[in-house]
Amino acid sequence: MQFELTKEYLNELRESLDTGIETPILQEVSELHPADIAEILDELTTEHASLLYKYIGKEKSADILIELDEDVRERYLDSIGAKEIAETFIENMDSDDAADIMAELSDKVKEEVISHIQDEEQASDIVDLLSYPEDSAGGLMAKELIQVNVNWSMLKCVKEMRKQAEDIDNVYSIYVVDNQQKLIGTLSLKKLLLAPSTAKVEDVYFKDVLAVKAYEKSEEVANIMEKYDLVVLPVVDELYRLIGRITIDDVVDVIREEADKDYQMASGLTQTAESSDHVWALSKARIPWLVIGLMGGVLGSLVIENYEGQIQIHPEMAIFIPLIAAMGGNAGVQSSAIVVQGLANKTMGFDSIFSRLFKEFSVGLLNGVLVSALIFGYNLLFSDSWALSLTVSISLITAVVFATLLGTAVPLVLDKYKVDPALATGPFITTLNDIIGLFIYFGVGRLLYNYF
Amino acid sequence: MQFELTKEYLNELRESLDTGIETPILQEVSELHPADIAEILDELTTEHASLLYKYIGKEKSADILIELDEDVRERYLDSIGAKEIAETFIENMDSDDAADIMAELSDKVKEEVISHIQDEEQASDIVDLLSYPEDSAGGLMAKELIQVNVNWSMLKCVKEMRKQAEDIDNVYSIYVVDNQQKLIGTLSLKKLLLAPSTAKVEDVYFKDVLAVKAYEKSEEVANIMEKYDLVVLPVVDELYRLIGRITIDDVVDVIREEADKDYQMASGLTQTAESSDHVWALSKARIPWLVIGLMGGVLGSLVIENYEGQIQIHPEMAIFIPLIAAMGGNAGVQSSAIVVQGLANKTMGFDSIFSRLFKEFSVGLLNGVLVSALIFGYNLLFSDSWALSLTVSISLITAVVFATLLGTAVPLVLDKYKVDPALATGPFITTLNDIIGLFIYFGVGRLLYNYF
């Protein structure tokens, strides 16, 4: 079944590499799936990794390279020459993986590597692919595919496909093109199996085929493949000529990255940080939001400073400062999370912004009244100040309603102006609502303390 | 290209349904992809939906049903009889989709539907599939697959596959089994195309095949398919006999749901809430965390109440309450987000919990010193109280370090005890760190005000 890497396994392997004796564990590792070997290499020092590499057959090298962590791969490729990169790795890869690896190299090395690729067609495919932005359909696609002409017979199809298939690991779809290379449909493998060998493609092919243009954004590609449950999606140029295909495994990475990015923003991280990163990288990912939070805190302090006299007379007002601030923050984040997720998953429906805000106003009011009633009950029991009890409850309703509305509106507005709505979530909305909550609290307090 | 649903399009369609005249838009809708038709039906009232259904060919009905929103589907299935469910829908579906739909029905209706299924093999497949938990490999798999015996010749393979393929839409993999029905490998379509028709399966098949047991958790299935870039994964029983296969499109849904769930928890939502839901559903998803936040606020108020005398003498201390509380909360959420994501993506590496905490201590100290220095500089310029300036900066470092450590430790501990670590994120960590921050702030303040 699946291989599971443990600390003990790693230690045994390290020991074995240190002694330099060919132990069974080295044999075992070299027979693992490339993804598993890459996982092991990610954990080893460069010295151990290059020792291990010697035991692993050449034919697996390319597959392992693709699966390595980006920084581990970079370190490794820096240590070998352009000729070896071309011959050991690039020439044994599918065009999409080759282009992804090439895109990570410096321009100088990239040129050198290309000049060392023997297969001219492959070199031209890679140069083509490198011209597309990384986050576009063109950046995701591979050039290897199986295509048949609409005028061919089944027999000719099988013959031609045999030629084409030599370059391809997995056949998922057979594309049908016309004489101008325009994509006009697909031929299912089932049809190919079932149709008599004298049948013509035009009699049995499926005309309804979904394709994307090469410059389509990768998120849009992911949305299409997810919505229509596709395993492979053809890519066409502006003239609808077939130029490549995208497989779902590459799109799964896009989906995962998108989800991770939104989660990170909501949690106040500005860049991908993994717990295995160095202290400095971990720190850098957090500082921007901490500084913004600090500025928010300073603004909040200015609001309170403004009411310092009031606190001197009624020090009990200070007691509920964190409650009001936190509740506004929480309510705001909840609202914006629903909007951000709705926009990402395209489940927003067709309400106008006003009906949406009205709905959120109702939700905010409902929840605000509930929590205010709870805290009012608590204060009835434990506080002897009517002014304070009323101030807390009234400002809590108001703060929750405001936060709910802002939490909904800000991501919607950002989205309208093509800014990533996830920017609105997390520390930003929390900080903003903290400050608004304080304003409301002391404003209501000043008013009420005059009457009670 | 891809169909894009707009509000105008919906309105035109509704009008056309109301008038009852066969307009071009009805023709257009009926020719759309089932996923697009489902998207339209999700937006219509039950009356409009059933009117529209009449224009759409029977053959698309089953595909549309699978794509509908769960509540829309439930409403629709409630309105028709068990016989129609069996004949129009279940019999025209793959076994995995059929089982998913059946699982949504009440036990009584389920039995009735099964009794109406004509194809006995399909009925038995569905009953089999219904016995697996929804979130297991068995719950994700379909029974339809192409398998060949290791002793067959290529010619026999093609003949047998023709029979099997009649039930199958897409052929992604050909599985090789021995005489005991045990899964022993795969036959690539490429090999089938390239090998001479007299070759035997045992000479050309690929022996290394990854499979999962039927009771494997669906998250684990997603991890395996993602790690090994698989498009389809065979499922075996305890004796390693081939019983089904899982395709990546179903796993994409699992990945999406997992990511959404973590995001929702981090944002303080307790259940899936979509912005198109009703006010009450939207409210209910938020109330639990709001009430927990409220309790946190009350605890915080008790901390401050304890120091009320101090605030009366030094009301300026109240000014920085929100800053300290918010910064602790932010730092804690950042740490726990990194842990939660590392656990979900399996990128945690092999450090022990102590070395991890030491690393986070360094990060917390680094960031704490930085933000404390910033606020100290600010206070040097704008505050005339040395006691306050020092109190704020010292307690800020302490609160950030504490929050960072807690943010790391809590999800790790939860994970160790098999509780979902995502529970630790969002409002929970924030609230806990708010309170700890207040304790530190007033503790440090009481100490320092004695000296200055």
Side-chain angles (χ1 to χ4, degrees):
Chain A
M1 297 296 276
Q2 201 205 353
F3 168 75
E4 181 102 38
L5 184 58
T6 64
K7 204 173 170 170
E8 291 68 38
Y9 195 90
L10 267 179
N11 285 339
E12 199 187 325
L13 179 64
R14 285 194 188 109
E15 231 168 79
S16 163
L17 287 169
D18 282 335
T19 57
I21 304 162
E22 260 197 59
T23 44
I25 193 172
L26 288 172
Q27 185 57 32
E28 208 183 301
V29 168
S30 66
E31 281 164 11
L32 288 173
H33 188 284
D36 292 319
I37 302 178
E39 202 177 298
I40 293 173
L41 288 170
D42 283 344
E43 297 294 327
L44 297 178
T45 60
T46 317
E47 291 76 46
H48 278 150
S50 53
L51 281 171
L52 183 58
Y53 241 110
K54 286 185 201 144
Y55 291 95
I56 299 163
K58 280 262 172 194
E59 68 278 10
K60 268 190 182 174
S61 304
D63 290 336
I64 295 170
L65 189 78
I66 304 161
E67 302 284 343
L68 287 175
D69 257 6
E70 205 177 314
D71 46 339
V72 177
R73 180 166 53 232
E74 199 186 311
R75 227 162 39 218
Y76 180 71
L77 289 183
D78 278 352
S79 74
I80 62 173
K83 191 155 183 285
E84 197 180 338
I85 298 180
E87 288 172 3
T88 314
F89 297 110
I90 301 299
E91 294 201 346
N92 297 311
M93 283 178 184
D94 276 352
S95 58
D96 55 342
D97 292 328
D100 287 348
I101 304 268
M102 296 284 282
E104 288 171 22
L105 302 173
S106 70
D107 283 347
K108 198 176 140 279
V109 181
K110 209 183 292 175
E111 271 174 44
E112 267 184 71
V113 172
I114 291 172
S115 74
H116 282 108
I117 301 175
Q118 301 286 328
D119 182 341
E120 270 182 42
E121 201 189 322
Q122 208 209 4
S124 128
D125 279 354
I126 292 173
V127 172
D128 273 3
L129 289 179
L130 283 171
S131 71
Y132 296 104
E134 215 187 320
D135 65 337
S136 70
L140 288 172
M141 75 181 180
K143 303 286 265 185
E144 293 84 0
L145 49 78
I146 304 254
Q147 54 178 315
V148 296
N149 189 293
V150 65
N151 300 312
W152 292 352
S153 68
M154 288 296 121
L155 201 68
K156 165 124 187 171
C157 281
V158 173
K159 232 171 82 186
E160 290 290 329
M161 281 172 62
R162 280 194 184 166
K163 277 191 230 158
Q164 297 176 21
E166 277 179 39
D167 291 335
I168 296 181
D169 287 336
N170 291 303
V171 180
Y172 297 123
S173 240
I174 306 162
Y175 297 108
V176 179
V177 294
D178 64 12
N179 291 330
Q180 280 75 48
Q181 176 66 11
K182 274 190 194 150
L183 176 69
I184 56 171
T186 58
L187 179 66
S188 78
L189 286 159
K190 184 177 152 181
K191 277 275 161 59
L192 190 74
L193 284 171
L194 299 179
S197 62
T198 51
K200 285 200 133 200
V201 174
E202 59 186 343
D203 301 326
V204 295
Y205 83 101
F206 186 62
K207 289 183 189 67
D208 217 357
V209 60
L210 207 67
V212 286
K213 298 267 166 77
Y215 286 96
E216 191 70 78
K217 283 257 164 216
S218 54
E219 292 113 79
E220 191 54 30
V221 172
N223 281 335
I224 293 173
M225 292 190 81
E226 212 178 331
K227 178 172 173 186
Y228 299 107
D229 290 337
L230 303 175
V231 160
V232 60
L233 178 63
V235 182
V236 293
D237 67 10
E238 290 301 316
L239 294 173
Y240 223 79
R241 289 178 302 202
L242 180 63
I243 55 172
R245 52 112 182 117
I246 299 171
T247 47
I248 183 87
D249 53 318
D250 296 316
V251 168
V252 167
D253 298 339
V254 172
I255 292 171
R256 176 72 82 182
E257 276 163 29
E258 278 295 300
D260 282 359
K261 207 191 66 195
D262 286 355
Y263 183 75
Q264 279 160 359
M265 285 215 204
S267 315
L269 302 168
T270 47
Q271 47 185 287
T272 310
E274 287 182 7
S275 67
S276 55
D277 286 349
H278 292 290
V279 169
W280 181 234
L282 282 170
S283 169
K284 226 170 58 180
R286 308 184 200 187
I287 283 176
W289 276 129
L290 285 180
V291 171
I292 290 174
L294 191 75
M295 294 194 294
V298 168
L299 286 176
S301 77
L302 293 176
V303 174
I304 302 179
E305 200 171 13
N306 197 28
Y307 294 97
E308 208 180 318
Q310 198 172 337
I311 294 173
Q312 198 150 24
I313 313 170
H314 307 292
E316 75 273 16
M317 273 207 79
I319 293 174
F320 289 100
I321 290 178
L323 187 142
I324 300 288
M327 292 301 283
N330 288 349
V333 168
Q334 289 180 327
S335 300
S336 52
I338 290 178
V339 174
V340 168
Q341 233 174 18
L343 288 169
N345 298 352
K346 305 214 162 178
T347 53
M348 287 295 281
F350 291 94
D351 295 339
S352 70
I353 192 160
F354 292 105
S355 69
R356 222 181 281 285
L357 284 177
F358 181 74
K359 196 192 222 176
E360 281 296 315
F361 175 79
S362 317
V363 175
L365 197 63
L366 194 64
N367 290 352
V369 167
L370 183 90
V371 288
S372 294
L374 285 176
I375 196 72
F376 195 74
Y378 172 82
N379 276 332
L380 270 187
L381 292 173
F382 300 104
S383 165
D384 42 16
S385 163
W386 274 99
L388 183 65
S389 305
L390 280 173
T391 300
V392 171
S393 285
I394 291 172
S395 54
L396 188 56
I397 298 182
T398 322
V400 168
V401 169
F402 251 96
T404 307
L405 289 177
L406 262 179
T408 306
V410 173
L412 283 176
V413 170
L414 287 185
D415 185 61
K416 191 153 189 170
Y417 291 100
K418 310 273 171 214
V419 181
D420 186 348
L423 261 178
T425 53
F428 181 73
I429 279 283
T430 316
T431 304
L432 187 65
N433 284 320
D434 278 9
I435 300 168
I436 293 175
L438 290 172
F439 255 118
I440 294 170
Y441 180 55
F442 284 101
V444 171
R446 175 168 284 177
L447 227 85
L448 286 183
Y449 270 98
N450 289 336
Y451 289 96
F452 287 89
Chain B
M1 298 297 277
Q2 200 205 355
F3 169 74
E4 180 104 38
L5 184 58
T6 62
K7 203 173 171 171
E8 290 69 38
Y9 194 91
L10 268 178
N11 284 339
E12 199 186 325
L13 178 65
R14 285 194 188 107
E15 228 168 82
S16 163
L17 287 168
D18 282 334
T19 58
I21 303 162
E22 261 197 59
T23 44
I25 193 171
L26 288 173
Q27 184 59 32
E28 209 182 297
V29 168
S30 65
E31 281 165 11
L32 288 173
H33 188 284
D36 293 317
I37 301 177
E39 201 177 299
I40 293 171
L41 287 169
D42 284 342
E43 298 293 327
L44 296 178
T45 60
T46 316
E47 292 76 46
H48 279 150
S50 54
L51 282 171
L52 183 58
Y53 241 110
K54 285 184 201 146
Y55 290 95
I56 300 164
K58 280 260 171 193
E59 68 277 11
K60 270 190 181 173
S61 304
D63 291 335
I64 295 170
L65 189 76
I66 304 163
E67 303 284 344
L68 285 176
D69 256 5
E70 203 176 315
D71 48 337
V72 177
R73 180 166 54 233
E74 198 187 311
R75 226 162 41 218
Y76 180 71
L77 290 182
D78 278 351
S79 73
I80 62 174
K83 190 156 184 287
E84 197 180 340
I85 296 180
E87 288 172 3
T88 314
F89 297 111
I90 302 298
E91 295 202 347
N92 296 311
M93 283 179 186
D94 276 350
S95 57
D96 57 340
D97 292 327
D100 288 347
I101 304 266
M102 297 283 282
E104 290 171 19
L105 301 172
S106 70
D107 283 346
K108 198 177 141 277
V109 180
K110 211 183 291 177
E111 272 174 45
E112 266 185 72
V113 172
I114 291 172
S115 73
H116 280 109
I117 301 176
Q118 300 287 327
D119 180 343
E120 270 181 42
E121 200 190 322
Q122 208 209 3
S124 129
D125 280 353
I126 292 172
V127 171
D128 273 2
L129 289 180
L130 283 172
S131 70
Y132 297 103
E134 213 187 321
D135 64 340
S136 69
L140 288 171
M141 75 180 180
K143 303 286 264 184
E144 293 85 359
L145 50 79
I146 304 253
Q147 53 178 317
V148 296
N149 189 292
V150 65
N151 301 311
W152 291 353
S153 67
M154 289 295 121
L155 201 68
K156 166 124 186 171
C157 281
V158 172
K159 233 171 83 187
E160 289 292 328
M161 282 172 60
R162 280 195 184 165
K163 276 191 231 157
Q164 296 175 20
E166 275 178 40
D167 290 336
I168 297 181
D169 286 335
N170 291 302
V171 180
Y172 298 123
S173 242
I174 306 163
Y175 296 109
V176 180
V177 294
D178 64 11
N179 290 330
Q180 279 76 46
Q181 177 66 13
K182 273 190 194 150
L183 176 67
I184 55 169
T186 58
L187 180 67
S188 78
L189 287 159
K190 185 177 151 180
K191 278 275 160 58
L192 191 76
L193 283 171
L194 299 179
S197 62
T198 53
K200 282 201 135 198
V201 173
E202 56 186 346
D203 302 326
V204 295
Y205 83 101
F206 186 63
K207 290 183 189 68
D208 215 0
V209 61
L210 205 69
V212 287
K213 297 270 166 73
Y215 285 97
E216 191 70 79
K217 283 260 164 211
S218 54
E219 292 114 78
E220 192 52 30
V221 173
N223 281 336
I224 293 173
M225 295 191 79
E226 212 177 331
K227 178 172 173 188
Y228 299 107
D229 289 339
L230 303 175
V231 161
V232 60
L233 178 64
V235 182
V236 293
D237 66 10
E238 291 300 317
L239 295 173
Y240 224 79
R241 288 179 303 203
L242 181 64
I243 55 171
R245 52 111 182 121
I246 300 171
T247 46
I248 182 86
D249 53 317
D250 295 317
V251 169
V252 167
D253 297 341
V254 172
I255 293 172
R256 175 73 82 184
E257 275 162 31
E258 279 295 301
D260 282 0
K261 206 191 65 195
D262 286 355
Y263 184 75
Q264 278 158 2
M265 285 215 204
S267 316
L269 302 168
T270 47
Q271 46 184 287
T272 309
E274 287 182 6
S275 67
S276 55
D277 286 348
H278 290 291
V279 169
W280 181 235
L282 282 170
S283 169
K284 225 170 57 180
R286 307 184 201 187
I287 282 175
W289 276 127
L290 285 179
V291 171
I292 289 175
L294 191 75
M295 293 193 295
V298 167
L299 286 176
S301 78
L302 293 176
V303 175
I304 303 179
E305 201 169 11
N306 198 28
Y307 295 96
E308 207 180 319
Q310 199 174 337
I311 293 172
Q312 197 149 23
I313 314 170
H314 307 291
E316 73 273 17
M317 272 208 79
I319 293 175
F320 289 99
I321 290 177
L323 187 141
I324 300 288
M327 291 301 283
N330 288 348
V333 168
Q334 290 180 328
S335 300
S336 53
I338 289 179
V339 176
V340 168
Q341 234 174 17
L343 289 169
N345 297 353
K346 306 214 161 178
T347 54
M348 286 296 280
F350 291 94
D351 295 340
S352 71
I353 191 161
F354 294 104
S355 69
R356 226 180 278 287
L357 284 178
F358 181 74
K359 197 191 220 177
E360 280 297 315
F361 175 79
S362 316
V363 175
L365 197 64
L366 194 64
N367 290 352
V369 167
L370 183 91
V371 288
S372 294
L374 285 176
I375 196 73
F376 195 73
Y378 171 83
N379 275 333
L380 271 188
L381 291 173
F382 299 105
S383 164
D384 42 16
S385 162
W386 273 98
L388 183 65
S389 305
L390 281 173
T391 301
V392 171
S393 285
I394 291 172
S395 54
L396 188 55
I397 297 182
T398 323
V400 167
V401 169
F402 251 96
T404 307
L405 289 177
L406 263 179
T408 305
V410 174
L412 283 175
V413 170
L414 288 184
D415 185 60
K416 190 153 189 171
Y417 292 100
K418 310 272 171 217
V419 181
D420 186 348
L423 261 178
T425 53
F428 180 72
I429 280 283
T430 316
T431 304
L432 187 64
N433 284 319
D434 278 10
I435 300 168
I436 292 175
L438 290 172
F439 255 119
I440 295 171
Y441 180 56
F442 283 102
V444 172
R446 175 168 285 177
L447 227 85
L448 286 184
Y449 269 99
N450 289 335
Y451 289 95
F452 287 89

